[in-house]
Coordinates of all heavy atoms in Angstrom, one line a residue:
W1283 N -21.3 -113.2 28.6 CA -22.1 -113.1 29.8 C -23.0 -114.4 29.9 O -23.3 -114.8 31.0 CB -23.0 -111.9 29.6 CG -22.4 -110.6 29.9 CD1 -21.4 -110.4 30.9 CD2 -22.6 -109.4 29.4 NE1 -21.0 -109.1 31.0 CE2 -21.7 -108.4 30.0 CE3 -23.4 -108.9 28.3 CZ2 -21.7 -107.0 29.7 CZ3 -23.4 -107.5 28.0 CH2 -22.5 -106.7 28.7
R1284 N -23.4 -114.9 28.8 CA -24.3 -116.1 28.8 C -23.6 -117.3 29.6 O -24.2 -118.0 30.4 CB -24.5 -116.6 27.4 CG -25.4 -117.8 27.3 CD -25.3 -118.4 25.9 NE -24.0 -118.8 25.5 CZ -23.3 -118.3 24.5 NH1 -23.8 -117.4 23.7 NH2 -22.1 -118.7 24.3
D1285 N -22.3 -117.4 29.5 CA -21.6 -118.5 30.1 C -20.7 -118.1 31.3 O -20.1 -118.9 32.0 CB -20.6 -119.1 29.1 CG -21.4 -119.7 27.9 OD1 -22.5 -120.3 28.1 OD2 -20.9 -119.6 26.8
N1286 N -20.7 -116.8 31.6 CA -20.0 -116.3 32.8 C -21.0 -115.4 33.6 O -20.9 -114.2 33.5 CB -18.9 -115.4 32.3 CG -17.9 -115.0 33.5 OD1 -18.2 -115.2 34.6 ND2 -16.8 -114.5 33.1
R1287 N -21.9 -116.1 34.3 CA -23.0 -115.4 35.0 C -22.5 -114.4 36.0 O -23.0 -113.4 36.3 CB -23.9 -116.4 35.7 CG -25.3 -115.9 35.8 CD -26.2 -117.0 36.4 NE -27.5 -116.6 36.3 CZ -28.5 -117.1 37.0 NH1 -28.2 -118.1 37.8 NH2 -29.8 -116.7 36.9
E1288 N -21.3 -114.8 36.7 CA -20.7 -114.0 37.7 C -20.4 -112.6 37.2 O -20.6 -111.6 37.7 CB -19.5 -114.6 38.4 CG -18.8 -113.8 39.3 CD -19.6 -113.7 40.7 OE1 -20.5 -114.6 40.9 OE2 -19.3 -112.8 41.5
S1289 N -19.9 -112.6 35.9 CA -19.5 -111.4 35.2 C -20.7 -110.6 34.9 O -20.7 -109.3 35.2 CB -18.7 -111.6 33.9 OG -18.5 -110.5 33.2
F1290 N -21.8 -111.2 34.4 CA -23.0 -110.4 34.2 C -23.6 -109.9 35.4 O -24.0 -108.7 35.4 CB -24.0 -111.4 33.4 CG -25.4 -110.8 33.3 CD1 -25.6 -109.8 32.3 CD2 -26.4 -111.1 34.1 CE1 -26.8 -109.2 32.2 CE2 -27.7 -110.5 34.0 CZ -27.9 -109.5 33.1
L1291 N -23.7 -110.6 36.5 CA -24.3 -110.2 37.7 C -23.6 -109.0 38.3 O -24.1 -108.1 38.8 CB -24.4 -111.4 38.6 CG -25.4 -112.5 38.2 CD1 -25.4 -113.6 39.3 CD2 -26.9 -111.9 38.1
T1292 N -22.2 -109.1 38.1 CA -21.4 -108.0 38.7 C -21.6 -106.7 37.9 O -21.7 -105.6 38.4 CB -19.9 -108.4 38.5 OG1 -19.6 -109.6 39.3 CG2 -19.0 -107.3 39.1
S1293 N -21.9 -106.9 36.5 CA -22.2 -105.8 35.7 C -23.5 -105.2 36.1 O -23.7 -103.9 36.2 CB -22.1 -106.1 34.3 OG -20.8 -106.5 33.9
I1294 N -24.6 -106.0 36.1 CA -25.9 -105.4 36.3 C -26.1 -104.8 37.7 O -26.9 -103.9 38.0 CB -27.0 -106.5 36.0 CG1 -28.3 -105.8 35.7 CG2 -27.1 -107.5 37.2 CD1 -29.4 -106.7 35.1
K1295 N -25.2 -105.3 38.7 CA -25.4 -104.6 40.0 C -25.1 -103.2 40.0 O -25.7 -102.4 40.7 CB -24.3 -105.3 41.0 CG -24.8 -106.5 41.8 CD -23.7 -107.0 42.7 CE -23.3 -106.0 43.8 NZ -24.4 -105.7 44.7
S1296 N -24.1 -102.7 39.2 CA -23.8 -101.3 39.0 C -25.0 -100.6 38.3 O -25.3 -99.4 38.6 CB -22.5 -101.1 38.1 OG -22.8 -101.6 36.8
V1297 N -25.8 -101.2 37.5 CA -26.8 -100.6 36.8 C -28.0 -100.6 37.8 O -28.8 -99.6 37.8 CB -27.3 -101.4 35.5 CG1 -28.5 -100.8 34.9 CG2 -26.1 -101.6 34.5
L1298 N -28.2 -101.6 38.6 CA -29.3 -101.6 39.6 C -29.2 -100.4 40.5 O -30.1 -99.7 41.0 CB -29.2 -102.9 40.5 CG -29.8 -104.1 39.7 CD1 -29.3 -105.4 40.5 CD2 -31.3 -104.1 39.5
V1299 N -27.9 -100.0 40.9 CA -27.7 -98.9 41.8 C -28.2 -97.6 41.1 O -28.7 -96.7 41.8 CB -26.2 -98.8 42.1 CG1 -25.9 -97.5 42.9 CG2 -25.7 -99.9 43.0
S1300 N -28.1 -97.5 39.9 CA -28.4 -96.2 39.2 C -29.9 -96.1 38.8 O -30.3 -95.0 38.5 CB -27.6 -96.1 37.9 OG -28.1 -97.1 36.9
V1301 N -30.6 -97.3 38.9 CA -32.1 -97.2 38.5 C -32.8 -96.3 39.5 O -32.7 -96.4 40.7 CB -32.7 -98.7 38.6 CG1 -34.2 -98.6 38.5 CG2 -32.1 -99.5 37.4
G1302 N -33.6 -95.4 39.0 CA -34.4 -94.5 39.8 C -33.7 -93.3 40.2 O -34.3 -92.3 40.8
K1303 N -32.5 -93.2 40.0 CA -31.7 -92.0 40.4 C -31.8 -90.9 39.3 O -31.8 -91.2 38.1 CB -30.2 -92.2 40.6 CG -30.0 -93.1 41.9 CD -28.5 -93.2 42.2 CE -28.3 -94.1 43.5 NZ -28.9 -93.4 44.6
K1304 N -32.0 -89.7 39.7 CA -32.1 -88.6 38.7 C -30.9 -88.4 37.9 O -29.8 -88.5 38.4 CB -32.5 -87.3 39.4 CG -32.8 -86.2 38.5 CD -33.1 -85.0 39.3 CE -33.4 -83.7 38.4 NZ -33.7 -82.5 39.1
Q1305 N -31.0 -88.3 36.6 CA -29.8 -88.1 35.8 C -29.3 -86.7 36.0 O -30.0 -85.7 35.6 CB -30.2 -88.3 34.3 CG -29.1 -88.0 33.3 CD -27.8 -88.8 33.5 OE1 -26.9 -88.4 34.2 NE2 -27.8 -90.0 32.9
E1306 N -28.2 -86.5 36.6 CA -27.7 -85.1 36.9 C -26.8 -84.6 35.9 O -26.5 -83.4 35.9 CB -26.9 -85.2 38.2 CG -27.8 -85.7 39.5 CD -27.0 -85.8 40.7 OE1 -25.8 -85.7 40.7 OE2 -27.7 -86.0 41.8
R1307 N -26.3 -85.3 35.0 CA -25.4 -84.8 33.9 C -26.2 -84.1 32.9 O -27.3 -84.5 32.5 CB -24.6 -86.0 33.3 CG -23.8 -86.7 34.3 CD -22.9 -87.7 33.6 NE -22.2 -88.6 34.6 CZ -22.5 -89.9 34.6 NH1 -23.5 -90.4 33.9 NH2 -21.9 -90.6 35.5
E1308 N -25.6 -83.2 32.3 CA -26.3 -82.4 31.2 C -26.2 -83.3 29.9 O -25.2 -83.8 29.6 CB -25.5 -81.1 31.0 CG -26.0 -80.3 29.7 CD -25.1 -79.3 29.3 OE1 -24.0 -79.1 30.0 OE2 -25.4 -78.5 28.4
E1309 N -27.4 -83.5 29.4 CA -27.4 -84.2 28.1 C -27.9 -83.2 27.0 O -29.0 -83.1 26.7 CB -28.5 -85.3 28.2 CG -28.0 -86.5 29.1 CD -28.8 -87.7 28.9 OE1 -28.6 -88.4 27.9 OE2 -29.6 -88.0 29.9
K1310 N -26.8 -82.6 26.5 CA -27.1 -81.6 25.4 C -27.4 -82.4 24.1 O -26.7 -83.3 23.7 CB -25.8 -80.8 25.3 CG -25.9 -79.6 24.3 CD -24.5 -78.8 24.4 CE -24.5 -77.7 23.4 NZ -23.2 -77.0 23.5
P1311 N -28.4 -82.0 23.4 CA -28.7 -82.6 22.1 C -27.5 -82.6 21.1 O -26.8 -81.5 21.0 CB -29.9 -81.8 21.6 CG -30.5 -81.1 22.8 CD -29.3 -80.9 23.7
W1312 N -27.4 -83.7 20.4 CA -26.3 -83.7 19.4 C -26.3 -82.6 18.4 O -25.4 -82.1 17.9 CB -26.2 -85.1 18.8 CG -27.2 -85.4 17.8 CD1 -28.4 -86.0 17.9 CD2 -27.0 -85.1 16.4 NE1 -29.1 -86.1 16.8 CE2 -28.3 -85.6 15.8 CE3 -26.1 -84.6 15.5 CZ2 -28.6 -85.5 14.5 CZ3 -26.4 -84.4 14.2 CH2 -27.6 -84.9 13.6
T1313 N -27.6 -82.3 18.1 CA -27.8 -81.3 17.1 C -27.3 -79.9 17.5 O -26.9 -79.0 16.7 CB -29.3 -81.1 16.8 OG1 -30.1 -80.9 18.1 CG2 -29.8 -82.3 16.1
D1314 N -27.2 -79.7 18.8 CA -26.6 -78.4 19.3 C -25.1 -78.3 19.1 O -24.5 -77.4 18.7 CB -26.9 -78.2 20.9 CG -28.3 -77.9 21.2 OD1 -29.1 -77.8 20.2 OD2 -28.6 -77.7 22.4
Y1315 N -24.4 -79.5 19.2 CA -23.0 -79.7 19.0 C -22.8 -79.4 17.5 O -21.8 -78.7 17.1 CB -22.5 -81.0 19.3 CG -22.4 -81.2 20.8 CD1 -23.3 -82.2 21.4 CD2 -21.5 -80.5 21.7 CE1 -23.2 -82.5 22.8 CE2 -21.5 -80.8 23.0 CZ -22.3 -81.8 23.6 OH -22.2 -82.0 24.9
A1316 N -23.7 -80.1 16.6 CA -23.6 -79.9 15.2 C -23.7 -78.4 14.8 O -23.0 -78.0 13.9 CB -24.6 -80.8 14.5
E1317 N -24.7 -77.8 15.4 CA -24.9 -76.4 15.0 C -23.8 -75.5 15.4 O -23.4 -74.6 14.6 CB -26.2 -75.9 15.7 CG -26.6 -74.5 15.3 CD -26.8 -74.3 13.8 OE1 -27.4 -75.3 13.2 OE2 -26.4 -73.3 13.2
E1318 N -23.1 -75.8 16.6 CA -22.0 -75.0 17.0 C -20.8 -75.2 16.0 O -20.0 -74.3 15.7 CB -21.6 -75.4 18.4 CG -20.5 -74.6 19.0 CD -20.2 -74.9 20.5 OE1 -20.9 -75.6 21.1 OE2 -19.2 -74.5 21.0
L1319 N -20.7 -76.4 15.6 CA -19.6 -76.7 14.7 C -19.9 -76.1 13.2 O -19.0 -75.5 12.7 CB -19.5 -78.3 14.4 CG -18.2 -78.8 13.7 CD1 -17.9 -80.2 14.2 CD2 -18.4 -78.8 12.2
L1320 N -21.1 -76.2 12.8 CA -21.5 -75.6 11.5 C -21.5 -74.1 11.5 O -21.5 -73.5 10.4 CB -22.9 -76.1 11.1 CG -23.0 -77.6 10.8 CD1 -24.4 -78.1 10.6 CD2 -22.2 -78.0 9.5
S1321 N -21.6 -73.4 12.7 CA -21.6 -72.0 12.8 C -20.3 -71.4 12.1 O -20.3 -70.2 11.9 CB -21.8 -71.5 14.2 OG -20.7 -71.8 15.0
H1322 N -19.3 -72.2 11.9 CA -18.1 -71.7 11.4 C -18.1 -71.7 9.8 O -17.2 -71.2 9.2 CB -16.8 -72.6 11.7 CG -16.5 -72.5 13.2 ND1 -17.3 -73.0 14.2 CD2 -15.4 -71.9 13.7 CE1 -16.7 -72.7 15.4 NE2 -15.5 -72.0 15.2
Y1323 N -19.3 -72.1 9.2 CA -19.4 -72.2 7.8 C -20.6 -71.5 7.3 O -21.5 -71.3 8.1 CB -19.3 -73.7 7.3 CG -18.1 -74.5 7.9 CD1 -18.3 -75.2 8.9 CD2 -16.9 -74.4 7.3 CE1 -17.1 -76.0 9.5 CE2 -15.8 -75.0 7.7 CZ -15.9 -75.9 8.8 OH -14.8 -76.5 9.2
S1324 N -20.6 -71.3 6.0 CA -21.8 -70.9 5.4 C -21.9 -71.4 4.0 O -20.9 -72.0 3.4 CB -21.9 -69.3 5.3 OG -20.7 -68.8 4.6
G1325 N -23.1 -71.2 3.3 CA -23.2 -71.6 1.9 C -23.0 -73.0 1.7 O -23.4 -74.0 2.5
F1326 N -22.3 -73.4 0.6 CA -22.1 -74.7 0.1 C -21.2 -75.5 1.2 O -21.5 -76.7 1.5 CB -21.3 -74.8 -1.2 CG -20.8 -76.1 -1.6 CD1 -21.8 -77.1 -2.1 CD2 -19.6 -76.5 -1.4 CE1 -21.3 -78.4 -2.5 CE2 -19.1 -77.8 -1.8 CZ -20.0 -78.7 -2.3
K1327 N -20.2 -74.9 1.7 CA -19.4 -75.5 2.7 C -20.1 -76.0 4.0 O -19.9 -77.1 4.4 CB -18.2 -74.5 3.1 CG -17.1 -75.2 4.0 CD -16.3 -76.3 3.3 CE -15.2 -76.9 4.2 NZ -14.0 -76.0 4.3
R1328 N -21.1 -75.2 4.3 CA -21.9 -75.6 5.5 C -22.7 -76.9 5.2 O -22.7 -77.8 6.0 CB -22.8 -74.4 5.9 CG -23.8 -74.8 7.1 CD -24.8 -73.6 7.3 NE -25.7 -74.1 8.3 CZ -25.6 -73.8 9.6 NH1 -24.6 -73.3 10.1 NH2 -26.5 -74.2 10.4
S1329 N -23.3 -76.9 4.0 CA -24.1 -78.0 3.6 C -23.2 -79.3 3.5 O -23.5 -80.4 3.9 CB -24.7 -77.8 2.2 OG -25.6 -76.7 2.3
Y1330 N -22.0 -79.1 2.9 CA -21.0 -80.2 2.8 C -20.6 -80.7 4.1 O -20.7 -81.9 4.4 CB -19.7 -79.7 2.0 CG -18.6 -80.7 1.9 CD1 -18.7 -81.9 1.1 CD2 -17.5 -80.5 2.8 CE1 -17.7 -82.8 1.1 CE2 -16.5 -81.4 2.7 CZ -16.6 -82.5 1.9 OH -15.5 -83.5 1.9
V1331 N -20.3 -80.0 5.1 CA -19.9 -80.4 6.4 C -21.0 -80.9 7.1 O -21.0 -82.1 7.8 CB -19.3 -79.2 7.2 CG1 -18.9 -79.6 8.7 CG2 -18.0 -78.7 6.6
S1332 N -22.3 -80.4 6.9 CA -23.4 -81.1 7.5 C -23.6 -82.5 7.0 O -24.0 -83.4 7.8 CB -24.7 -80.1 7.2 OG -25.8 -80.8 7.7
G1333 N -23.4 -82.7 5.7 CA -23.5 -84.0 5.1 C -22.5 -85.0 5.7 O -22.7 -86.1 6.0
L1334 N -21.2 -84.5 5.9 CA -20.2 -85.2 6.5 C -20.5 -85.7 8.0 O -20.3 -86.8 8.4 CB -18.9 -84.5 6.6 CG -18.2 -84.2 5.3 CD1 -16.9 -83.4 5.6 CD2 -17.8 -85.5 4.5
I1335 N -21.2 -84.8 8.7 CA -21.6 -85.2 10.1 C -22.6 -86.3 10.0 O -22.5 -87.3 10.7 CB -22.2 -84.0 10.8 CG1 -21.1 -82.9 11.0 CG2 -22.9 -84.4 12.1 CD1 -21.7 -81.6 11.6
D1336 N -23.7 -86.2 9.1 CA -24.6 -87.3 9.0 C -24.0 -88.6 8.5 O -24.3 -89.7 9.0 CB -25.7 -86.9 8.0 CG -26.6 -85.8 8.5 OD1 -26.7 -85.6 9.7 OD2 -27.2 -85.0 7.6
K1337 N -23.0 -88.6 7.6 CA -22.4 -89.8 7.1 C -21.5 -90.4 8.3 O -21.5 -91.6 8.4 CB -21.6 -89.5 5.9 CG -22.5 -89.2 4.6 CD -21.6 -88.9 3.5 CE -22.5 -88.6 2.2 NZ -21.6 -88.2 1.1
A1338 N -20.8 -89.5 9.0 CA -20.0 -90.0 10.2 C -20.9 -90.8 11.2 O -20.5 -91.7 11.7 CB -19.3 -88.9 10.8
R1339 N -22.1 -90.2 11.5 CA -23.0 -90.8 12.4 C -23.5 -92.2 11.9 O -23.5 -93.1 12.6 CB -24.2 -89.9 12.7 CG -23.9 -88.8 13.6 CD -25.1 -87.8 13.7 NE -26.2 -88.4 14.3 CZ -26.5 -88.6 15.6 NH1 -25.6 -88.2 16.5 NH2 -27.7 -89.2 16.0
K1340 N -23.8 -92.1 10.6 CA -24.2 -93.4 9.9 C -23.1 -94.4 9.9 O -23.3 -95.6 10.2 CB -24.7 -93.1 8.5 CG -25.3 -94.3 7.8 CD -25.8 -93.9 6.4 CE -26.3 -95.0 5.6 NZ -26.7 -94.6 4.2
G1341 N -21.9 -93.9 9.7 CA -20.7 -94.9 9.6 C -20.5 -95.6 11.0 O -20.2 -96.8 11.1
V1342 N -20.6 -94.8 12.1 CA -20.4 -95.4 13.3 C -21.5 -96.5 13.6 O -21.1 -97.6 14.2 CB -20.6 -94.3 14.5 CG1 -20.7 -94.9 15.9 CG2 -19.5 -93.3 14.5
C1343 N -22.7 -96.3 13.2 CA -23.8 -97.3 13.3 C -23.4 -98.6 12.5 O -23.6 -99.7 13.0 CB -25.1 -96.8 12.8 SG -25.7 -95.5 14.0
F1344 N -22.9 -98.4 11.2 CA -22.5 -99.6 10.4 C -21.4 -100.3 11.1 O -21.4 -101.6 11.2 CB -22.1 -99.1 9.0 CG -23.2 -98.9 8.0 CD1 -23.2 -97.7 7.2 CD2 -24.3 -99.7 8.0 CE1 -24.3 -97.5 6.4 CE2 -25.3 -99.5 7.1 CZ -25.3 -98.4 6.3
R1345 N -20.4 -99.6 11.5 CA -19.3 -100.2 12.2 C -19.7 -101.0 13.5 O -19.3 -102.1 13.7 CB -18.3 -99.2 12.6 CG -17.0 -99.8 13.2 CD -16.1 -98.7 13.8 NE -16.7 -98.3 15.1 CZ -16.2 -97.5 16.0 NH1 -14.9 -97.2 15.8 NH2 -16.8 -97.1 17.0
E1346 N -20.7 -100.4 14.3 CA -21.0 -101.1 15.5 C -22.0 -102.3 15.2 O -21.9 -103.3 15.9 CB -21.8 -100.1 16.4 CG -20.9 -99.1 17.0 CD -19.8 -99.8 17.9 OE1 -20.1 -100.7 18.7 OE2 -18.6 -99.5 17.7
Y1347 N -22.8 -102.2 14.1 CA -23.6 -103.3 13.7 C -22.7 -104.5 13.3 O -23.0 -105.6 13.8 CB -24.5 -102.9 12.6 CG -25.4 -104.0 12.1 CD1 -26.6 -104.3 12.7 CD2 -25.0 -104.8 11.0 CE1 -27.4 -105.3 12.2 CE2 -25.8 -105.9 10.6 CZ -27.0 -106.1 11.2 OH -27.8 -107.1 10.8
T1348 N -21.7 -104.2 12.5 CA -20.9 -105.4 12.0 C -20.0 -105.8 13.1 O -19.7 -107.0 13.2 CB -20.0 -104.9 10.8 OG1 -19.2 -103.7 11.2 CG2 -20.9 -104.7 9.6
K1349 N -19.6 -104.9 14.1 CA -18.8 -105.3 15.2 C -19.6 -106.4 16.1 O -19.1 -107.5 16.5 CB -18.4 -104.2 16.1 CG -18.0 -104.5 17.5 CD -16.6 -105.1 17.5 CE -16.1 -105.5 18.9 NZ -16.0 -104.4 19.9

Side-chain angles (χ1 to χ4, degrees):
W1283 283 326
R1284 179 195 61 242
D1285 301 322
N1286 187 353
R1287 206 175 191 198
E1288 179 72 18
S1289 174
F1290 170 75
L1291 293 175
T1292 301
S1293 297
I1294 202 169
K1295 266 182 64 66
S1296 64
V1297 181
L1298 286 168
V1299 171
S1300 69
V1301 169
K1303 293 187 179 293
K1304 183 180 178 181
Q1305 176 60 269
E1306 297 177 354
R1307 301 189 190 108
E1308 174 192 4
E1309 289 197 71
K1310 186 176 178 180
W1312 74 269
T1313 50
D1314 287 2
Y1315 292 113
E1317 185 57 40
E1318 188 176 345
L1319 192 153
L1320 291 170
S1321 66
H1322 289 72
Y1323 304 100
S1324 61
F1326 173 77
K1327 186 66 177 285
R1328 179 185 172 93
S1329 298
Y1330 172 73
V1331 174
S1332 178
L1334 290 180
I1335 293 172
D1336 289 339
K1337 288 177 181 177
R1339 284 174 60 84
K1340 185 179 180 182
V1342 170
C1343 291
F1344 279 138
R1345 187 194 67 167
E1346 287 302 308
Y1347 178 85
T1348 57
K1349 164 72 183 295

